[in-house]
Amino acid sequence: ITGQLLRFPVFKGEPILAGKLGRSFSISEALSPGMKAYIMKVAEEDRPLTGLIDPKDHVDVHWLQMQPDLQNTSVRLLLQNVKVLAVGQRTDSEESESGGSTDSRGHTTDNYTLEVTPRQHQRLQAALNRGKVRLALRGKGDTSVEDLDEKSLDLILGLIPRPVVIVEPTPEPTPVVEPEKHTVEYIEGTEIRTE
């Protein structure tokens, strides 16, 4: 352990556990190529559920849209089968040492680090600005996915502009002008003809 950094104070005679040392690896090393780590804070009402989701688990992310009228609140599936890289300060390599959902200081974990694509990262950001997100734990080996209308979802989240419909004004019909009519009398000798 010589040369490693301590994350927490160590007292004389105390055994030095791996959980008190600096991380043995970085989250960036655990990311697949082209993926990003998204750290999502757990909502206050979900805190009793912490400890159920562990690093290496897979989750679905649901979006609860903010609505002024709670009767019209809708829940949408936002992301599917997303890998959890870390829970709080705990990664999969530290899971056995830290135990449960608390760190070595006894504080409850309050965030999840998810492995997402750049587009999924944008969706999470947009969804959190327009409501709340919730995680649903998947069963081990469950890789099933639902068909998502991603274009519609991106449109609702404001990630793509709404299509602009240009309505051409209907030209006003040209009024039909009736020709002027005049009566003409022709007099030829004793004959009178009117047209």
Side-chain angles (χ1 to χ4, degrees):
I1 64 169
T2 303
Q4 291 194 46
L5 297 175
L6 287 171
R7 293 169 62 193
F8 309 108
V10 177
F11 301 101
K12 185 177 179 181
E14 180 183 355
I16 299 175
L17 303 175
K20 293 217 171 195
L21 298 174
R23 280 194 197 285
S24 56
F25 77 100
S26 165
I27 287 289
S28 61
E29 294 171 9
L31 284 171
S32 304
M35 302 296 273
K36 298 196 176 296
Y38 186 86
I39 300 171
M40 192 182 87
K41 202 158 184 66
V42 177
E44 192 69 41
E45 56 269 27
D46 289 344
R47 293 248 165 97
L49 302 176
T50 56
L52 300 178
I53 299 173
D54 291 316
K56 289 189 178 176
D57 282 343
H58 283 74
V59 294
D60 290 338
V61 181
H62 295 271
W63 173 41
L64 288 74
Q65 291 174 260
M66 239 187 294
Q67 299 282 353
D69 178 9
L70 292 178
Q71 293 176 357
N72 295 328
T73 300
S74 62
V75 178
R76 291 181 180 268
L77 180 59
L78 189 66
L79 306 177
Q80 302 179 81
N81 202 20
V82 177
K83 182 180 177 184
V84 178
L85 295 174
V87 178
Q89 298 296 316
R90 185 166 51 94
T91 61
D92 57 331
S93 67
E94 299 169 295
E95 194 170 352
S96 55
E97 287 104 11
S98 62
S101 64
T102 58
D103 61 26
S104 46
R105 293 171 294 177
H107 295 144
T108 305
T109 56
D110 62 355
N111 59 53
Y112 295 102
T113 305
L114 307 178
E115 182 180 56
V116 294
T117 64
R119 190 60 171 178
Q120 289 173 329
H121 189 278
Q122 288 178 328
R123 284 187 186 138
L124 275 167
Q125 281 295 113
L128 284 169
N129 286 337
R130 296 169 179 248
K132 298 178 180 181
V133 292
R134 297 285 184 272
L135 300 181
L137 181 62
R138 282 182 161 249
K140 191 172 178 82
D142 178 10
T143 57
S144 62
V145 289
E146 292 179 31
D147 285 336
L148 287 179
D149 183 359
E150 295 191 10
K151 187 174 181 181
S152 169
L153 189 59
D154 285 349
L155 189 67
I156 294 166
L157 288 167
L159 295 175
I160 55 176
R162 293 194 177 276
V164 178
V165 180
I166 299 172
V167 180
E168 292 289 335
T170 341
E172 291 187 24
T174 313
V176 178
V177 179
E178 293 286 332
E180 290 184 29
K181 293 183 179 180
H182 300 279
T183 305
V184 179
E185 281 186 350
Y186 292 96
I187 304 172
E188 291 178 18
T190 56
E191 278 186 34
I192 299 172
R193 187 167 44 96
T194 305
E195 286 185 12

